[in-house]
Amino acid sequence: MATTLSALGRLSLTAAASLALLVAVAVPASADTATPDRSGIDAAVSAAHVYDGADPQATGCSAGATTAAQATRNGMTFQLRWSPSCQTNWVRILNYPGNVPPSQREGLWMDVHDRDRDELVPFTGSTSISGTRWGNMVYSPANNCTWGMINYSNVFFDPNYGPYDLSLLSSSC
């Protein structure tokens, strides 16, 4: 009789284990077949353009570029550049002195924002390199309003521009 109970116990255990395995495999498989709602994610990805955040020199977009807006301050010339061939804008600084003490700046900020697309491309560069400096591009078709924002030293902080020392706007703004 002990042998019969043992055989029944093994059969019950095997059946229970098989049922548990079937349930464990079936639950994830049905969860994987469900299609998640990715509408918000897909919209954000499709809104980005190949030139958003790209280097204007490396892409060749700087060739034939013009200056959309310009200002001079403290011996430096700040420019909002426009590439008609790539339909992009970026910030460029001529005569950047470099060697800005770290206590005055966390980095050289050259951000550019296409206001019509609401696409901001932030750029932080080293404050120790002098000469001509430029940030990355934002795709901004011809009639879009673009805003170039520069922060090069906390010494020259201008409260009119918020956290930036200087702001340049395209003619479409």
Side-chain angles (χ1 to χ4, degrees), residues 40-55:
I41 295 169
D42 292 339
V45 171
S46 65
H49 190 274
V50 67
Y51 285 134
D52 288 337
D55 183 317

Side-chain angles (χ1 to χ4, degrees), residues 10-28:
R10 280 193 302 259
L11 182 60
S12 296
L13 184 58
T14 303
S18 296
L19 182 59
L21 181 61
L22 181 62
V23 169
V25 170
V27 170

Side-chain angles (χ1 to χ4, degrees), residues 82 87 89 114 116 140-146 170-173:
W82 162 249
Q87 301 284 297
N89 286 100
D114 180 310
D116 294 325
S140 185
N143 292 325
N144 283 13
C145 172
T146 305
S170 69
S171 62
S172 300
C173 295

Side-chain angles (χ1 to χ4, degrees), residues 126-166:
S126 170
T127 58
S128 63
I129 301 169
S130 62
T132 300
R133 306 292 304 279
W134 62 89
N136 288 338
M137 301 182 293
V138 67
Y139 176 70
S140 185
N143 292 325
N144 283 13
C145 172
T146 305
W147 183 16
M149 302 159 289
I150 304 106
N151 196 345
Y152 54 93
S153 171
N154 284 339
V155 172
F156 305 114
F157 181 81
D158 187 337
N160 294 324
Y161 300 114
Y164 298 99
D165 295 318
L166 184 65

